[in-house]
Structures are given as structure tokens and as C-alpha cells.
Amino acid sequence: MQSRVLMTLCGAFCALVWLPVSAPAQQHPADPQAATPPAAHRSALEGYRAFRDEKPLSWREANDEVGRVGGHLGLFGGKHAGHGNTKPEKPLTAGEKK
């Protein structure tokens, strides 16, 4: 039974390998007369939108905005990059992992 299945699979494989492939004939890449597809160019700047500078606030408006939010750290919700931690971390001793 196994040999019959194996022979069938081998026969099918051989038939597929020896079937003529219907791919078009390939032209040699070094042939200067070979037909090539037309060159297509897509700009790297395709879809680029120019930067529009916002109208800057007057210094009074900017100063009032910073005062309204509670100072320069108020712009970041009172915390900025870990500054202002009131409780220092306990130093690690030898062999201790964080």
C-alpha cells in the first residue's frame, strides 16, 4: 500500500517536472535591442505639504498663557521628565536588584 502511494507521488512529481513550461522566452539582459518596460518615476516629494508657520503670539499673550496654566511646568501637567520628585530613591546595596 505504501509503495503504491509512493510510486503515484513519484510519478506525479516527474510528470510536473517534465511538463513544458508555457513561460514566454526570456531575452538576454545584455541585449541592447531587448524590449523593456517604460521607465516610471515617482517623486520622493509626492504628497508633500509645505510647512505653514503659525502666527506667533504676542509676548503678552504667551506670558498670559503660561501664567494661566501655572508656569512653564504647568504646560506639562506639573511634571516634566521626572523633575520635581519629592522622595529620593533608596540607594541599592551590593547584590540588590532594582
Side-chain angles (χ1 to χ4, degrees), residues 64-82:
D64 291 342
E65 173 74 11
V66 170
R68 185 182 60 76
V69 297
H72 70 281
L73 285 181
L75 295 172
F76 300 104
K79 298 177 185 173
H80 180 61

Side-chain angles (χ1 to χ4, degrees), residues 88-98:
E89 291 185 22
K90 177 184 139 203
L92 298 177
T93 58
E96 199 175 26
K97 291 185 180 180
K98 194 170 191 179

Side-chain angles (χ1 to χ4, degrees), residues 10-55:
C10 285
F13 177 74
C14 289
L16 289 174
V17 170
W18 294 107
L19 281 177
V21 179
S22 61
Q26 295 290 324
Q27 295 179 346
H28 193 276
D31 181 9
Q33 301 300 320
T36 58
H41 171 72
R42 285 188 51 204
S43 172
L45 300 176
E46 184 178 306
Y48 171 75
R49 293 183 311 175
F51 175 76
R52 288 192 180 161
D53 200 8
E54 295 179 13
K55 181 183 174 198

